[in-house]
Structures are given as structure tokens and as C-alpha cells.
Amino acid sequence: MSIPQPVDPTATDAWKKLESLADTFQPNLRQWFSDDPDRGASWSFDAGDLMVDLSKNLVNEQILSELLALAEETDVLAHRDRMFSGDRINVTEDRAVLHTALRRPEGERLLVDGTDVVPAVHEELSRIFDFARKIRSGAITGVTGRRFTTIVNIGIGGSDLGPVMVYEALHPYVLEGLECRFISNIDPTDAGEVISDLDPETTLVVVTSKTFTTLETLTNARIVRSWFLEALRENSVSFSEAEAISQHFIAVSTALDKVAEFGIDPANAFGFWDWVGGRYSVDSAVGTSLAIALGPENFAQFLAGFNTMDRHFAQTPAEKNVPLLMGLLNVWYTNFLDADTHAVLPYAQYLHRFPAYLQQLTMESNGKSVRWDGSPVTYDTGEIFWGEPGTNGQHAFYQLIHQGTRLIPADFIAFASPQFPFKDGEADMHELFLSNFFAQTKALAFGKTIEEVRAEGTAEEIVAARVFPGNRPSTSIMAPALTPSVLGQLIALYEHLTFVQGAVWGIDSFDQWGVELGKVLARELMPAVEGDYKALEQQDSSTRQLIEYYRSHRQ
Ligand SMILES: O=P(O)(O)OC[C@H]1O[C@](O)(CO)[C@@H](O)[C@@H]1O
């Protein structure tokens, strides 16, 4: 089924009304909270186990109603339904977008081109789970009969960021005695550091690449394969190469023919489908290292969490639909209040890679300048996502969020229960931590007036420097604890709010042509880098000078 032409959002009535509202907009969170003592509750929403408090955003009923009208006029919910039902909404690659099918419960049906895709998803999942159980129990061992203790995932982008982030986030769920390591960068340091103290006899390598053509991943996989064979020899193990590789190397890909070309038996590979984008793939076979480390039951809970948020997004009325509301607020900030960036500040050290994960999810999805019919956009798209865990960020960049000249909407994420219930004397350490979480959004929203600063007896010459303007927007997301299910819900929340923004902007959030040119040029430049004089001469003066610098300084 072909997809309708995108709507130019600037041509809608809602866009025009939002522009005129923004022209005269004077947010006053202090006033709004004092006028409406229930603002906290009335602007908070449940989505699965997440409690999402939107009350400290720069939004009122009138703006919200225009944002919802904008969603209607740009057909966002119809587009959502197209995604869920497998229409080819990835127009520039002519593909369906069905990461949501990866977490559908067994027994549900989803027909794509006449085939129900859900049974295949569960078939592959059972193969992965069966394999994971055998690794965890020691039923499958390395070539010398020793149990696997280290899983090395080699992948990049979506084949790395998701597994790393989830492994870090769910560390308490990792099986004792098992460790995952990750190699992504083609900088030789990455592989070098990871393998430096590895025992080849207890190492399982998972080569993860959707396309199985990615230069970084295939280069790293070859390097690790050579290291592995050499290290086994150094251990005086007698083995057949083919057997050792087949016991220690598995692959995850949609391109099983290429897996075979690389030298990994497709029987040792787990697959997924072209309707899963790389940055949406952590819940596919790309999570194999996680299924092993966390165990099938926890991985199943993780998937169930995604599904909870999928159902919320698919079924909840617009005015309570959290991904829709958060996505629309981001449009409000980006297109009407001129925000360029968006901070994500987890008050959970375990989520320290979450902002990096979201950077690929949001920026590879929505960093586009043409709509899905090729027409140029005339408005900003794709916010720049960034962040670090609190409280570390507080002692680094929060200064700019509180008192700088830029508007930076920020998402704060926290969990009620800690993993480590430490006490510092009488004080509960988690409560000290969460007091910071509560304090920051309060300070951002309500600031500190000049009168308040003066009333503290501050010397007049530094009064201005100590004023906090307030009205700095934040969203607070809380959940009982960081469990596999809650993490799945959180990821799906951001997947869907990214979708909402892309749908309003009329862009294809599921292609990534912008990463191609650099890849091609890197390949073309290799001869010049290797010293081919003619190739070097053809370069522009800057590139030539940089390569010459490299060649004259390389030791
Ligand atoms: O899984 P692959 O095919 O190796 O691709 C890795 C990453 O490269 C990209 O295509 C961008 O270069 C991402 O979208 C993707 O997640």
C-alpha cells in the first residue's frame, strides 16, 4: 500500500496558531502552579510502570490543544497505525517499519505482504533462548571444553549501542561469572584493549551486523578471529580451525549469505528482518549477547516492557498518550520556542549510556532536511540529544541549563528503589541522590528572583549573577525500579516520541542516507592515506595537508 504524501506542517491552521501563541508567549511556571494547585497531578500521566510528570513544561491548555490539533492535521495517529500494521512507511528504502512486531506476544497475528510475521519472530527468539540457556548452563562450551565466561559483541551503531546500554543498565541481572565486552570502533585501540587480557578458551564472539557489510565490524571481526586462533595456539591447544571458529564465533544479521562468506556457519547465526532498523534492533537477535548475559526470562521481560509501551502508544487517547504528548512538546520547543538541543539526565548511574543510545535513536531518525516525498523542509527537525547521569552533570554543565541564554528542555529520569541501600550515618544515600533529582527540576522551573536573592543579604554587586530566571522546562519520568521491563518501556517511549516528531515533520525517520557519503569517501581516501602520490595530489588542500601531516608523523 502506498503512503499518502506528507503534509507540510507549516501549512496547517494549528501551526499558524502556535506561531502566534509563541509570539506573545510569556511562560510563568510560578504563576501557573499557584493559580492551579493541581497542576502537578493534572499534567502527569501513567504509561505502563512509568509516571511521567509534564507539569514543569512551558505549556498550557491552549498550547496543548493546538499541538494536538497539529498532530491531527499532520495525520500522526494514522501514520502510527500504518507503522503498527506494517505499511511501507520507510519510503526511501521501500520497507515496512516493524520493530514493534519483535515484541508482540506469541499468538498475535500481523500480516505483512500476506505473511504472518509473529511466528517467525518467536521461532528465532526460541533459538536464541535455547542457545542462551546452553551457554549459561555450560551445555555448550568452547573447543577445550571450558565454560564460556566472556561474550564479546562486535558491532557498531545500532548493533552496539543498544547491547552496551542495556548491559550497563541491567548489570544486577547479569549471571555471575559471565561478562560482556563490546568492540565497536575501528580505532585499533578498541579491539586491542578488549582482547588484551582475554582467554580465548572461554571467549564467545558475537559478530553483530544487520547488513554484514560494515567496514568497522568486519575489520574488527577479522582482527579478533586472528587473535583468537593465535592465542589458542599459544595455549598449546590442538584444534581444527573450522571447529574452533564454529564453536567460538556466532553471528547476528539479516544477511545470512554474507555471514557464510565471512566464514561463520549460518547454523551458528541468528537472524532478523529488513523491517527492523539498526537503531530499533536491540530487541531483535541483536540482543543475543544480552539474552545470554541476562537470561531468557529477563530478556522476555524486557520485550514485554516494550510491548506495554507499544500498546499504550497504539491505544491510549491522544490527550493521555505519553509518547504523543512528549513528541509534541519537543516540536513546540524546536519549532516555536527555538530550542536546538534536548538534555536527557538519568538519575541512575546504570543508565550512563542511555543518552548515547538516544543520540542514535533520535538523531539518525530525525536529522533530515527533506520530507518523505523529497520536498525540502522549511522548519527545523531533529533536536540534538545529549546528557549525562545526574548528579555528575550538576557539577559540569547544569550551570548553562540554569542560567545560560539557551532554552534546553530536559528529561529527568529516576527510580524509587536503589540497587544498593547504602546508609551514610543516618542518611539514606538514595534519598540524598533523589533529593538532587527533585531539587533540580524545581530550581529550573521556579528559579530564584532578584528579591529572594537580595533578601538573603547578598552584596548588591553580585545579586544579578545569583538570580535564577526559572521557566526552564523539564519532564520528570519515574518508575518503581530499573527492571528489564521498565527499561523496555523507557526505550519504547523514546522510540515512539521520536516517531511522533518525525511524523509531524513529514520526514522518513527510518532511513539514514546521511551516513553514506563519509563511508564512501573513507574508502576512496585509503590509497592517498597509504601513500599513493597521485591520489594525494587530487585531494583538496586541507585534506591533502592533513594526510601529509599523518604520513610524516606516523611512527
Ligand atoms: O548493523 P550494521 O549493518 O553493521 O550497521 C551498523 C550501523 O550503521 C548504520 O547503518 C549507520 O552507518 C546504522 O544505522 C547502523 O545501526
Side-chain angles (χ1 to χ4, degrees), residues 88-395:
R88 293 174 177 261
I89 64 164
N90 179 353
V91 175
T92 73
E93 295 181 321
D94 192 25
R95 287 179 184 163
V97 173
L98 273 176
H99 44 279
T100 55
L102 297 168
R103 50 261 193 159
R104 289 212 183 203
E106 210 164 0
E108 278 192 12
R109 279 168 67 76
L110 178 64
L111 294 180
V112 177
D113 299 331
T115 308
D116 181 4
V117 299
V118 181
V121 165
H122 282 273
E123 217 169 280
E124 204 57 9
L125 209 49
S126 345
R127 284 186 66 225
I128 295 167
F129 284 0
D130 185 47
F131 181 72
R133 284 196 188 94
K134 289 181 176 150
I135 298 283
R136 288 165 69 86
S137 68
I140 294 182
T141 63
V143 73
T144 56
R146 288 174 61 194
R147 268 176 108 110
F148 289 113
T149 57
T150 312
I151 319 287
V152 177
N153 184 81
I154 303 177
I156 197 164
S159 297
D160 168 73
L161 287 163
V164 177
M165 183 276 283
V166 174
Y167 178 72
E168 295 291 315
L170 298 179
H171 210 253
Y173 295 84
V174 172
L175 182 70
E176 227 183 295
L178 205 59
E179 177 204 17
C180 290
R181 296 189 188 185
F182 300 89
I183 302 175
S184 54
N185 204 336
I186 199 164
D187 179 344
T189 346
D190 201 9
E193 286 292 337
V194 167
I195 61 181
S196 64
D197 61 345
L198 272 188
D199 182 345
E201 294 179 46
T202 56
T203 298
L204 176 73
V205 180
V206 186
V207 185
T208 306
S209 174
K210 177 178 169 182
T211 53
F212 234 74
T213 56
T214 305
L215 177 72
E216 290 88 340
T217 300
L218 296 191
T219 307
N220 276 319
R222 280 190 295 270
I223 296 291
V224 173
R225 183 169 58 185
S226 304
W227 159 82
F228 168 74
L229 293 171
E230 204 169 306
L232 263 192
R233 276 184 211 111
E234 277 169 15
N235 284 8
S236 311
V237 174
S238 77
F239 62 92
S240 98
E241 273 196 16
E243 198 188 326
I245 295 293
S246 96
Q247 280 184 251
H248 288 258
F249 280 71
I250 65 165
V252 170
S253 187
T254 56
L256 296 182
D257 50 332
K258 299 208 170 70
V259 168
E261 265 167 44
F262 181 81
I264 296 178
D265 183 348
N268 294 331
F270 298 108
F272 57 114
W273 302 270
D274 73 355
W275 38 258
V276 182
R279 53 194 175 273
Y280 297 87
S281 67
V282 66
D283 47 345
S284 71
V286 167
T288 296
S289 55
L290 299 170
I292 299 170
L294 305 171
E297 290 69 26
N298 286 321
F299 198 80
Q301 285 300 310
F302 178 57
L303 296 182
F306 279 91
N307 184 253
T308 299
M309 190 56 68
D310 294 344
R311 279 184 285 116
H312 172 93
F313 183 46
Q315 296 164 7
T316 309
E319 56 288 354
K320 290 183 176 171
N321 192 312
V322 175
L324 177 69
L325 296 175
M326 287 180 72
L328 290 173
L329 282 172
N330 292 351
V331 168
W332 169 238
Y333 293 127
T334 303
N335 298 118
F336 302 95
L337 301 188
D338 297 330
D340 290 319
T341 82
H342 194 117
V344 179
L345 309 167
Y347 278 65
Q349 189 58 32
Y350 282 131
L351 284 182
H352 71 111
R353 294 298 288 161
F354 193 55
Y357 172 81
L358 289 186
Q359 284 182 328
Q360 189 198 14
L361 175 63
T362 61
M363 290 159 72
E364 205 172 68
S365 295
N366 284 341
K368 314 283 163 72
S369 337
V370 293
R371 289 189 284 262
W372 71 68
D373 62 352
S375 57
V377 302
T378 52
Y379 39 86
D380 278 333
T381 63
E383 302 147 279
I384 299 155
F385 270 75
W386 60 283
E388 277 289 322
T391 57
N392 295 6
Q394 290 175 205
H395 297 274

